[in-house]
Amino acid sequence: MPLTEAGKIIIGNACRIDWEEVCPKNGDDEIYILGNPPYLGSSLQNRDQKKDTISIFTTYKIKKYKSLDYISNWFIKASFYLRDFNIKCAFVTTDSICQGQQVELLWPHIEIINVEIFFAHNSFKWTNNAKSNAGVSVVIIGLRNFSKDNKYLLFGSLSKEVDNINFYLNSSKNIIVHKRSKVLSNLPIMSYGNKAVYGEPLILEKEEFLSLVNSNVEYKKFLKKLIGAKELLDGKERWCIWVSNANYEEAKLLPELAKRFEEVKSLRLQSKDLGAIQLANRPYQFRDLYSTKTNSIVIPLTTSERRLYIPIGFTNSDEILTNSVSVIYNSDPSFLGILSSSIHLLWVKAVGGKLESRIRYSSVMCWNTFPFPQISTQRKNEITQSVFRILEEREKHSDKTLAQLYDPDKMPEGLREAHRINDIIIERCYRSTPFTSDEERLEYLFKLYEKMILEEKEQGTLFAQEKKTRKKKK
């Protein structure tokens, strides 16, 4: 005060307006851009917003952009606007653009024009007094032209000077974690559960199951408990009809099963999908027929971002798993300890991506990329004992669902302590001295990931050279 003229205000669509018309770049002028662009995932954008995205990314000749958040438009436009000028920008943004697939779609286009992140505030929950609160996790990211000046990572009121800030907002090098079809570490294969593909009539609610087995005990022979994410986390009970090729003729003699087989056949034949139509030839089965001979480790594909640990299930050979979970079939219990650790969850949060605000788990991004060192038999036995301790603590609260047990506000102290011990054991697999912060843990993981990727490439090169030498000798 008093009020003075402070420049002009332009009202318009920031994706369509030429920023240089609003704020021309003149010589050594210092220009600062700051904002809080709209938070919209790719599937939530309306027709006009999709046109905005198409316009910007085609202008800069960027081809793969359809899966990016709407907010990516601001980062691309700002990066090209500030290039080679004394300009800095900073945006409050959804943290999803620094996770999962979004990283490889967005950040290489910014890096290649010599624009870098010079400060970043770690993820926090966005809250305001608006009627419709956004309810998202956000970060603050500052961009500038490449410089040797200081860079800072901010954590609440704390600030840390670093040499580099990568696309995951960590102080490691600029690397991108790509999804993998093969496991990077010495870990078992993780796959999906079974997809029904128009096989809904093969699935029974609890009441339907009880009605069938009470009417004729013969039905029980062809029914198995079904476990998906809802069943795993919330204790919901469902069953499925599970018939092999060998006992199909016997199964279809039971009227209710025969009726349901016909319903599946009809649904599949009505589909426009060739694969579904072909499945009509075996209407008594899901598309997938995975089962376990011993025990399986089960991971829900989505989990609350509030949880301190991913709730992992341990199922037996009498249970069939759906495609709403990832599975390690016939697994050694020790791997449950690795999956249940806080350091693994930290990696998942960093590279795995999200579904709305929930953590999204996928084998190709979270498990196959997870850098885990070779360990001794003794260390593996320690992890196994730790897993049994966790399972014992869960059993003490068998009246509670897995979701209730892993509610961070209500988690039983015994279970919390069992996980704390497990965390210590898992982290000793990496190094003997304890980590002091999540930032330090992530930095270590990224460095190990980079080292393991390099070793994998070197081994691949050696293998190719040996193969070539053998051919010459022949």
Side-chain angles (χ1 to χ4, degrees), residues 105-162:
L105 292 178
L106 174 65
W107 290 101
H109 303 296
I110 294 173
E111 182 185 29
I112 203 170
I113 59 172
N114 264 354
V115 171
E116 67 176 1
I117 301 172
F118 74 99
F119 85 86
H121 193 293
N122 72 329
S123 182
F124 61 96
K125 201 78 172 178
W126 178 260
T127 56
N128 56 39
N129 294 323
K131 187 176 181 181
S132 300
N133 202 316
V136 293
S137 295
V138 299
V139 292
I140 306 172
I141 298 175
L143 298 179
R144 71 181 180 198
N145 287 291
F146 179 78
S147 169
K148 292 182 179 179
D149 292 346
N150 297 340
K151 301 179 183 72
Y152 294 94
L153 280 170
L154 309 174
F155 309 89
S157 60
L158 301 177
S159 173
K160 179 184 177 183
E161 187 176 342
V162 294

Side-chain angles (χ1 to χ4, degrees), residues 55-202:
S55 173
I56 288 174
F57 280 82
T58 52
T59 296
Y60 296 112
K61 299 178 180 179
I62 299 171
K63 293 179 180 178
K64 294 182 180 179
Y65 56 83
K66 291 183 180 177
S67 297
L68 282 168
D69 287 0
Y70 188 53
I71 210 164
S72 301
N73 293 331
W74 274 257
F75 279 87
I76 288 294
K77 203 159 184 179
S79 297
F80 280 91
Y81 173 73
L82 67 83
R83 181 172 58 164
D84 300 329
F85 278 83
N86 190 18
I87 303 172
K88 293 178 181 177
C89 79
F91 296 124
V92 180
T93 169
T94 43
D95 59 5
S96 56
I97 67 163
C98 297
Q99 299 168 345
Q101 183 188 17
Q102 304 242 2
V103 172
E104 62 180 295
L105 292 178
L106 174 65
W107 290 101
H109 303 296
I110 294 173
E111 182 185 29
I112 203 170
I113 59 172
N114 264 354
V115 171
E116 67 176 1
I117 301 172
F118 74 99
F119 85 86
H121 193 293
N122 72 329
S123 182
F124 61 96
K125 201 78 172 178
W126 178 260
T127 56
N128 56 39
N129 294 323
K131 187 176 181 181
S132 300
N133 202 316
V136 293
S137 295
V138 299
V139 292
I140 306 172
I141 298 175
L143 298 179
R144 71 181 180 198
N145 287 291
F146 179 78
S147 169
K148 292 182 179 179
D149 292 346
N150 297 340
K151 301 179 183 72
Y152 294 94
L153 280 170
L154 309 174
F155 309 89
S157 60
L158 301 177
S159 173
K160 179 184 177 183
E161 187 176 342
V162 294
D163 294 328
N164 185 61
I165 301 174
N166 69 15
F167 315 130
Y168 300 95
L169 307 189
N170 181 263
S171 57
S172 304
K173 291 180 182 177
N174 287 353
I175 57 173
I176 293 177
V177 178
H178 297 281
K179 61 183 180 181
R180 295 172 55 92
S181 58
K182 294 181 180 179
V183 186
L184 175 64
S185 305
N186 186 28
L187 297 170
I189 295 170
M190 181 183 289
S191 55
Y192 288 112
N194 301 285
K195 190 169 185 179
V197 184
Y198 298 102
E200 288 77 10
L202 300 175

Side-chain angles (χ1 to χ4, degrees), residues 339-364:
L339 283 159
S340 296
S341 66
S342 59
I343 199 167
H344 180 60
L345 178 57
L346 194 63
W347 181 258
V348 171
K349 285 182 174 181
V351 307
K354 288 186 177 178
L355 183 64
E356 296 169 343
S357 62
R358 289 169 293 163
I359 295 166
R360 179 168 54 191
Y361 197 99
S362 75
S363 58
V364 292

